Every structure is written in C-alpha cells, then in structure tokens.
Amino acid sequence: MSNSIQANLAFDQQHIWHPYTSALDPLPCYQVSGAQGVYIHLATGESLIDGCSSWWTAIHGYNRPELNQAAKVQIDNFSHVMFGGLTHQPAIDVCRKLIEMTPCGLERVFLADSGSVSVEVAMKMALQYWACQGSPNKHKFITPRNGYHGDTFAAMSVCDPVNGMHSLFTDALAQQIFAPAPQTRFAQTWNEDDIAPLEELIQRHHNELAALVLEPVVQNAGGMRIYHPEYLKRARQLCDDYGLLLICDEIATGFGRTGKLFACEHADISPDIMCVGKALTGGYVTLAATICTEDVAQGICQGDPGVFMHGPTYMGNPLACAIANASLDIIATGEWQQQVFNIEQQLTTELSRCHELEAVADVRVLGAIGVVECKSAVDVAALQRKFVAAGVWIRPFGKLVYIMPPYVIRTEELSQLTQAIYDVLA
Ligand SMILES: *Cc1c(COP(=O)(O)O)cnc(C)c1O
C-alpha cells in the first residue's frame, strides 16, 4: 500500500465517522478510486464485483452513460433552486413518473432528501391527517417487529425494538406498538394464525393508532426476512376495517428489486402512503419521495393550519430529479424484469449449495436478493477481508451474509459472488 493511501486511511480512521462504526476501534476501510459497471476499483489496485449495489441503490451499475449525461445536462443548466414558490421540469417529470408507476390511488408526491426523511414525512402526514379529522388521540403507530425504517427519531421509533436502537434512547423515543413479525415464508402455504396477533393488537388499540407502518414482503436491514404476501393483503384489510392508514416503506424493495416493480404488487394492494428512495436515482445522489392518496392530502389540508408542515431546504433538488428521471427511463424499458428474473433463478440454484455448510442456518432468495443466514454472528472484518481477497464486495451484518447485486450483473460475475459466499463460509 502506498504512503499516500496509508496516510489517507489513517486520517479517515482518526477523524471521519462511517456508518455504525466505532470511533475508537473502527472496522477496516478501503479507499475507492473509481467504479464502473458492477465493479468497484480500489486505490490499492484491486477490482471488486459489487454484491451490495451500494446499499440497494446502484441498480443500473456505476458510471452509467445515460445517468452521467442527465447530470451533466442539468448541472450546466441549474443545479438547485428553492422549491418554495418555484418549480421546474425535472421535479414535474419525476413526480409524474412516480404517480404513473406506483400502485393506483397514490397521487400526491412529497420530494424528500433521504429515505429516513421520507419516513418522517409519512408518519407526520398520518398524524396531521388524524388531527385534522378531529382525532388527535390517534397518534401512535403499529408495526411488525424486525422492521427497519431509518435512523431519525420517528423512523427509529418503528424500527425493531431489539436489534434497533431502542434500549439506548428509550426515554427519547415515541412509544409505539409492536406486533410479532410475520412468520409464514413467501412460498409456504399461508397460515391463518400469522395475522391473528396483528388483528388482536389493532382491535385493542385502534382508537390511538394513526397508521400501520411496514416494509412490504421483505423486511430488509431488520433481518432480511421474506414473508407471505397474504400477510400484507390482510394488513391492508385490517387498516380499512379499523380506520388506520397503511404506510408501505418501499425504500429498499422499490424499483424492481423483489421481482415486481413494487413489493406491494405481490399482494395486489395499494397503501395510503408509500415511501421510495435508495434506487430512485440509480445510486447517484440522495433523493426520496413520500407519495400519498388524494384522500390523505385532502384530509391534511382541509383542517388547521391548512398546509402540510414540512419543507426541506433541498426539496425537489433539480440535479437529483434529473438523474432520477434518467434512472426511471431505464426502468421504463422493462429490461429489469428479465434481469431480476435471471438473477433470482441463478441465486436460487447457486446459493442453495450453502445449505450443506455447517455454519449455515438458512438460505432465502426473492428477486435480486439472496440471503444466507448463519447459525451465529459472523466476524464482519474477517469476512470482509476474505471477500476482498476473492475480488468481491459483500458486507455482512449480524448472522447475515446477503447480496443484492446491480441488475446489470452478468452470469459469470454473479457466480463469482455466490462462489465467494460459499468458499468464505465453508
Ligand atoms: C435504507 C432504508 C431507510 C432509510 O433510508 P436513508 O436514505 O438511509 O435515510 C428506510 N427504510 C428502509 C426500508 C430502508 O431500507
């Protein structure tokens, strides 16, 4: 390793926070010099096949000409203007596309600057909706355990209370109601008992509940659990029966990742409020959106103060919207369907071999998501080092070694990822 890279990494270690990392004893970090297609290039010369799509975002691969072009055109025109009292073509286009592609009934788009903020906005919309209906007592949320919805305070309050950060912030967090996580797996026969605890809790608490918040079909960072769509269908019905709004967090699952454009489509339902983010800009810049029904929008704005009380400084950032438009245009070609289908087939075949390994407890696949769950927590630093040596970028957490590669990955490249998982766990 050259002296300048060493000096960089030393500075980084002493002064820069990384996600979920100790400032005293940080995990090793690798300096990136470039990225192209499904490859991340390290400053030390290695090239790694990316198994994470940079946390669900880079679905079309890095350095994609259409996205680069959209960014360049927009940057030479204007990068940002305030969204209060001003609007522009990139925002109008992205909102029109989102309304067209999301499940029916979702008509009003709030552009947010990150996934967590879009969840804050969704929860605030639900609270303000009920306050304006004269039901300010409906101010709590119910959510299944094992969820993950972001790191800001309202979002944190609906994350899994055990593997989330509840114990640290108990007194500062809003107290929500937790239902058991769905148990019936995606391809199993639906078990009617699976919905009973949610129904019972909603029955008992509906007078104080504003909304049910969940990740449709795949619970992501809270455990990579893939559950039966019937649970989602029944959850929608329960919300209708008991007067709750349904908030679907599609930040990880949206834009084709699970084999449907949105995971809600597995159950053929529409939420009252939906959050999207992550892959929205194809992994280029941060942008998210909260999309609600006309009923929710009307309900919020008919009561006092007559406006929705939220407005980020960089709301509707034109540069982000322009790139999102280019990414959504690639999605609109429909090529993702064959790509995700092929990835699902290949992951199912190649990861199933991991069942034979002593360390492995479970293997599960849906769309372009492959999960190998170990019997005990893995040594992240050690595994990461072995993965880098094998020419792949895979970042495990807890007991989970999982991949969600860019849709454009080729067969041989995906085999290299699955082979590395097998070899490293063997
Ligand atoms: C990543 C994620 C979030 C948070 O998004 P950020 O952009 O990191 O704030 C929220 N919900 C789900 C389901 C996510 O996967």
Side-chain angles (χ1 to χ4, degrees):
M1 203 187 291
S2 78
N3 286 342
S4 76
I5 299 173
Q6 257 167 1
N8 267 342
L9 294 179
F11 179 88
D12 189 290
Q13 197 171 98
Q14 278 155 27
H15 298 285
I16 306 181
W17 292 103
H18 284 267
Y20 315 107
T21 304
S22 165
L24 304 176
D25 181 23
L27 290 172
C29 230
Y30 301 85
Q31 189 177 333
V32 173
S33 58
Q36 176 71 45
V38 300
Y39 287 90
I40 294 173
H41 304 300
L42 299 185
T44 41
E46 300 95 327
S47 289
L48 311 179
I49 298 173
D50 181 13
C52 310
S53 302
S54 281
W55 277 343
W56 312 88
T57 64
I59 53 176
H60 312 302
Y62 298 100
N63 232 328
R64 180 88 185 211
E66 299 95 314
L67 304 195
N68 290 6
Q69 183 62 16
K72 286 172 189 165
V73 168
Q74 187 58 40
I75 216 166
D76 283 337
N77 190 9
F78 62 103
S79 292
H80 185 67
V81 290
M82 62 187 278
F83 215 46
L86 298 173
T87 193
H88 44 78
Q89 199 70 48
I92 291 166
D93 289 345
V94 79
C95 293
R96 182 175 280 133
K97 286 171 191 170
L98 285 173
I99 290 166
E100 273 171 16
M101 75 199 297
T102 50
C104 68
L106 297 168
E107 302 282 345
R108 299 269 185 168
V109 186
F110 187 102
L111 294 168
D113 30 19
S114 73
S116 300
V117 170
S118 77
V119 172
E120 298 284 319
V121 165
M123 293 174 74
K124 199 196 269 191
M125 279 180 173
L127 294 178
Q128 208 177 322
Y129 176 84
W130 290 114
C132 292
Q133 308 302 298
S135 305
N137 51 319
K138 285 172 80 71
H139 63 90
K140 283 195 177 189
F141 294 85
I142 184 165
T143 189
R145 286 173 186 270
N146 284 102
Y148 175 78
H149 297 285
D151 294 344
T152 52
F153 271 80
M156 240 191 328
S157 76
V158 286
C159 288
D160 185 85
V162 179
N163 68 24
M165 292 146 277
H166 286 249
S167 53
L168 267 178
F169 302 117
T170 311
D171 294 335
L173 279 183
Q175 300 295 305
Q176 315 294 13
I177 293 168
F178 293 95
Q183 297 301 319
T184 315
R185 296 168 67 126
F186 188 86
Q188 278 178 333
T189 309
W190 167 249
N191 176 2
E192 194 61 28
D193 295 342
D194 210 6
I195 200 69
L198 181 69
E199 175 156 26
E200 194 184 308
L201 284 167
I202 290 180
Q203 214 163 28
R204 184 151 17 116
H205 294 283
H206 64 94
N207 285 329
E208 49 175 342
L209 286 173
L212 166 62
V213 184
L214 51 74
E215 292 157 282
V217 181
V218 185
Q219 296 186 296
N220 301 282
M224 302 300 302
R225 303 174 77 259
I226 304 168
Y227 65 86
H228 202 290
E230 183 66 18
Y231 182 95
L232 183 57
K233 200 172 266 184
R234 301 295 290 276
R236 170 72 275 183
Q237 191 60 47
L238 287 172
C239 288
D240 291 340
D241 293 348
Y242 288 95
L244 272 62
L245 298 176
L246 175 62
I247 299 175
C248 282
D249 178 348
E250 292 254 12
I251 292 167
T253 49
F255 307 110
R257 180 55 69 180
T258 70
K260 301 278 188 188
L261 194 48
F262 295 97
C264 283
E265 296 172 21
H266 288 287
D268 205 15
I269 60 115
S270 289
D272 300 289
I273 305 175
M274 178 187 272
C275 299
V276 296
K278 288 205 162 104
L280 176 55
T281 63
Y284 271 52
V285 287
T286 180
L287 182 70
T290 312
I291 316 161
C292 72
T293 61
E294 190 59 28
D295 175 60
V296 169
Q298 296 276 341
I300 289 170
C301 297
Q302 280 162 356
D304 261 356
V307 298
F308 178 57
M309 295 302 284
H310 211 100
T313 305
Y314 277 95
M315 189 170 183
N317 177 253
L319 199 48
C321 290
I323 298 168
N325 279 313
S327 177
L328 295 180
D329 287 346
I330 297 175
I331 298 226
T333 66
E335 65 192 23
W336 63 270
Q337 278 175 296
Q338 191 63 47
Q339 292 167 333
V340 171
F341 178 80
N342 292 345
I343 293 171
E344 181 174 53
Q345 299 296 304
Q346 198 182 339
L347 285 176
T348 305
T349 314
E350 295 182 3
L351 285 182
S352 68
R353 288 201 309 137
C354 293
H355 275 299
E356 68 197 43
L357 298 175
E358 181 55 36
V360 170
D362 188 38
V363 177
R364 40 193 188 260
V365 172
L366 183 69
I369 306 169
V371 186
V372 178
E373 183 166 333
C374 296
K375 290 175 182 152
S376 52
V378 302
D379 177 345
V380 175
L383 252 61
Q384 209 175 251
R385 216 172 290 119
K386 288 180 187 169
F387 282 131
V388 170
V392 300
W393 181 245
I394 297 173
R395 192 169 162 87
F397 75 82
K399 297 177 182 174
L400 301 167
V401 179
Y402 64 110
I403 51 174
M404 54 295 195
Y407 301 167
V408 295
I409 196 164
R410 293 201 306 249
T411 313
E412 322 80 80
E413 294 161 341
L414 186 54
S415 289
Q416 213 173 314
L417 287 173
T418 58
Q419 186 67 44
I421 293 175
Y422 181 88
D423 291 344
V424 162
L425 294 178

